[in-house]
Amino acid sequence: MNRKLLTIGAALALAFGVATAQAECAFPKPPASIPDGKTASEAEMVAAMQAFKSYNEEVNAFGACLEEETKSKAAGTAQLMQLKTMQTKKHNAAIDELQTKAKLFNEQVRVFKARG
């Protein structure tokens, strides 16, 4: 009976730790909008480029945060692989979103440059 309570307690502690871990590394948010290359000014395109550079840095920092979080939260736990898998999925989702948004922005940059 006590062994079951310990197992349940450990599972709850891990679940709480994972919930806490999610709160510590904020998922990066992409720039609010992508300027239309057909009508945007050069200043708008430059500002968007800077926003994407910052966003890229935030995604990189998010990955580093998740890695540190995994090390600190799961060191020595039996669920280390499960936590690593979850953190990898979060990081991959951030990278996928970055790549999708960057592709859209790059398309608008090409349109902007084609205006000459």
Side-chain angles (χ1 to χ4, degrees):
M1 188 81 133
N2 285 338
R3 183 172 240 161
K4 284 183 182 179
L5 288 175
L6 286 173
T7 303
I8 291 170
L12 288 174
L14 178 65
F16 178 73
V18 169
T20 303
Q22 291 174 345
E24 291 178 17
C25 295
F27 194 87
K29 294 183 183 190
S33 64
I34 297 173
D36 183 345
K38 294 177 188 173
T39 59
S41 68
E42 184 175 351
E44 290 172 316
M45 296 304 285
V46 169
M49 181 182 67
Q50 291 300 324
F52 270 94
K53 284 182 179 181
S54 294
Y55 177 45
N56 186 56
E57 291 170 5
E58 291 170 13
V59 169
N60 290 334
F62 178 67
C65 178
L66 290 173
E67 192 173 309
E68 285 301 313
E69 188 175 82
T70 299
K71 288 178 187 175
S72 67
K73 299 284 183 191
T77 68
Q79 285 80 13
L80 178 60
M81 288 307 296
Q82 183 180 15
L83 183 57
K84 280 184 178 181
T85 300
M86 184 183 344
Q87 300 295 46
T88 299
K89 286 180 181 179
K90 289 179 192 177
H91 188 230
N92 288 345
I95 290 172
D96 288 346
E97 184 173 30
L98 170 65
Q99 290 174 340
T100 298
K101 298 292 184 177
K103 180 180 176 187
L104 293 172
F105 175 66
N106 288 332
E107 289 170 2
Q108 294 307 311
V109 168
R110 284 189 288 281
V111 169
F112 177 79
K113 286 183 176 183
R115 286 186 355 203

